[in-house]
């Protein structure tokens, strides 16, 4: 929160991920296409602060765990999946702060049951 001044100048999640340096940077020129990487041009303190929570979330949070497992099966390095989880956590923190809500681990289950009305 201190690094972003409580999201005072941030207007959306894309802007926040760019500020943190967790946005994707394409490496291509003409017909040559290189690897995509995170830009790392943003605030390194945010990236460092999110690394360990991303590891914990990928082990213990069920939705993040499935997201991490899906990415780690497709990508060669597991650190790519950890970085993606960190980006997802950053967006989650931003949305919860802006909506002034608390984290609900059963949100997806509750959202699906709210749509189905009992007869």
């Amino acid at each position: 929160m201190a690094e972003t001044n409580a999201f005072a100048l941030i207007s959306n999640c894309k802007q926040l991920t760019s500020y943190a340096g967790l946005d994707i940077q394409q490496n291509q020129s003409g017909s040559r296409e290189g690897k995509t990487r995170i830009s790392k041009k943003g605030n390194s303190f945010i990236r460092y602060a999110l690394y360990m929570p991303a590891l914990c979330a990928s082990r213990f949070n069920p939705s993040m765990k499935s997201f991490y497992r899906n990415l780690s099966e497709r990508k060669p390095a597991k650190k790519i999946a950890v970085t993606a989880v960190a980006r997802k956590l950053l967006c989650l923190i931003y949305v919860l702060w802006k909506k002034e809500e608390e984290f609900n681990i059963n949100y997806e289950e509750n959202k699906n049951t709210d749509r189905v009305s009992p007869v």
Side-chain angles (χ1 to χ4, degrees), residues 17-23 25 38-44 47:
T17 56
S18 178
Y19 177 75
L22 290 172
D23 54 333
Q25 182 179 31
I38 62 170
S39 69
K40 293 187 183 180
K41 290 183 180 177
N43 192 326
S44 62
R47 289 194 305 275

Side-chain angles (χ1 to χ4, degrees), residues 8 35 40 52 57 69 102 114:
K35 293 181 181 179
K40 293 187 183 180
M52 203 47 87
R69 204 174 314 134
E102 290 185 16
D114 289 343

Side-chain angles (χ1 to χ4, degrees), residues 39-106:
S39 69
K40 293 187 183 180
K41 290 183 180 177
N43 192 326
S44 62
F45 296 115
I46 295 174
R47 289 194 305 275
Y48 294 143
L50 284 173
Y51 183 73
M52 203 47 87
L55 285 176
C56 292
S58 64
R59 284 187 65 192
F60 299 112
N61 186 326
S63 63
M64 295 289 181
K65 188 176 190 175
S66 64
F67 178 71
Y68 172 80
R69 204 174 314 134
N70 184 15
L71 272 177
S72 62
E73 289 171 359
R74 291 187 291 140
K75 299 293 182 179
K78 294 186 188 232
K79 199 165 195 179
I80 295 171
V82 173
T83 304
V85 170
R87 182 187 180 281
K88 197 165 188 165
L89 277 177
L90 183 64
C91 289
L92 180 66
I93 291 167
Y94 173 72
V95 169
L96 290 174
W97 178 264
K98 283 295 185 180
K99 290 185 176 183
E100 296 179 359
E101 294 180 2
E102 290 185 16
F103 178 71
N104 182 4
I105 197 159
N106 299 322

